[in-house]
Amino acid sequence: MTEQMRNHWWWRPGWRLRRRMYAVHTTFEDQDELHDLVRAYQEPLHNLPGLDIIPLKWLHLTMQGIGFADEVDDVDAIAQAVQRRLSPIEAVTLRFDRPLLDPEAPQFHPHPVDGIDRVRRAVRQGIIDVRGAVGETDVWTPHMSIAYSDTDGPAKPYRDALASVTADPVTVTIQRIQLIALGRDEHLYRWESVADLPLGTQSLYPPRRMHGR
């Protein structure tokens, strides 16, 4: 059980203001029921200091980093390779119950994990197809944060706030993932969508290149 929160926004290696990273994440633009569930748990958190609440449009399930945008010149080839690897994988179902308190963020850990883990392994293999290797460990806990801690301090107020909420679980269907250019300025992860990557037979077609969002 988390007893102490810590500031999420320390500068991880390589990051700096206005730098962007290519990554593949699951995003949730059209998941209205999930948005309602997130709102329910964010509401009591708004009254507490020390948190940066995530706007619904920037909710994401962290999946796989590729590399800093100024160091990656083969992003289109990676998108195509990942899409080919996604072709055997049909839509994935995830259930969101209650958020847990990580030391840096209240976050949902959706389940079952087998389907989304298979998606991530396909993403990693697509990157390997192009680059010969992939960064970041293959150890992974699927999660979607709903706020980030911006200070150090006791966890109990946030844990109590989450425990005060009664809400029904939500099940969502993931039919596509996104290759994005991600930034972390202003205590918020924002991105531009680079390529839309559907799962299943749709992924046999060329990836749909995006032009911002």
Side-chain angles (χ1 to χ4, degrees):
M1 181 183 296
T2 298
E3 296 296 341
Q4 285 290 121
M5 304 297 289
R6 61 175 180 259
N7 190 343
H8 175 79
W9 298 112
W10 59 278
W11 286 106
R12 289 154 175 80
W15 278 104
R16 59 178 180 265
L17 202 62
R18 291 183 291 280
R19 199 174 198 194
R20 299 293 178 261
M21 172 179 279
Y22 288 128
V24 179
H25 286 355
T26 303
T27 60
F28 300 99
E29 293 88 345
D30 301 319
Q31 300 287 356
D32 294 341
E33 290 186 354
L34 179 61
H35 289 180
D36 289 342
L37 180 67
V38 170
R39 284 192 194 95
Y41 283 101
Q42 285 180 338
E43 183 175 357
L45 298 177
H46 278 288
N47 300 322
L48 299 174
L51 286 180
D52 298 309
I53 305 297
I54 300 174
L56 298 176
K57 69 177 294 185
W58 302 119
L59 293 173
H60 59 279
L61 189 147
T62 302
M63 186 170 286
Q64 178 65 51
I66 298 172
F68 289 109
D70 56 318
E71 298 177 346
V72 175
D73 59 6
D74 49 7
V75 67
D76 289 333
I78 290 171
Q80 293 169 15
V82 168
Q83 186 140 22
R84 286 193 297 270
R85 289 288 180 174
L86 293 174
S87 63
I89 304 174
E90 297 301 329
V92 171
T93 299
L94 292 174
R95 179 180 170 92
F96 292 77
D97 293 324
R98 299 185 64 88
L100 305 174
L101 197 60
D102 177 85
E104 295 186 5
Q107 54 189 215
F108 285 94
H109 289 195
H111 60 91
V113 301
D114 290 353
I116 199 67
D117 185 64
R118 188 180 179 202
V119 172
R120 183 176 186 257
R121 282 186 276 117
V123 170
R124 290 172 64 85
Q125 189 58 55
I127 297 170
I128 291 171
D129 290 343
V130 175
R131 314 198 94 193
V134 60
E136 302 182 0
T137 175
D138 61 357
V139 177
W140 180 57
T141 300
H143 65 276
M144 181 190 73
S145 298
I146 63 173
Y148 292 109
S149 174
D150 63 14
T151 190
D152 300 335
K156 186 176 185 303
Y158 312 111
R159 189 167 56 247
D160 291 348
L162 296 175
S164 72
V165 177
T166 301
D168 293 331
V170 168
T171 298
V172 303
T173 300
I174 307 301
Q175 298 180 316
R176 60 208 328 104
I177 57 178
Q178 297 285 327
L179 196 160
I180 61 178
L182 177 72
R184 66 187 302 270
D185 304 337
E186 300 174 353
H187 285 204
L188 180 64
Y189 290 102
R190 302 175 186 261
W191 59 83
E192 293 183 351
S193 292
V194 176
D196 182 67
L197 304 173
L199 308 183
T201 55
Q202 293 183 83
S203 65
L204 296 174
Y205 298 94
R208 186 159 64 98
R209 180 80 185 200
M210 310 297 286
H211 299 282
R213 59 175 284 149

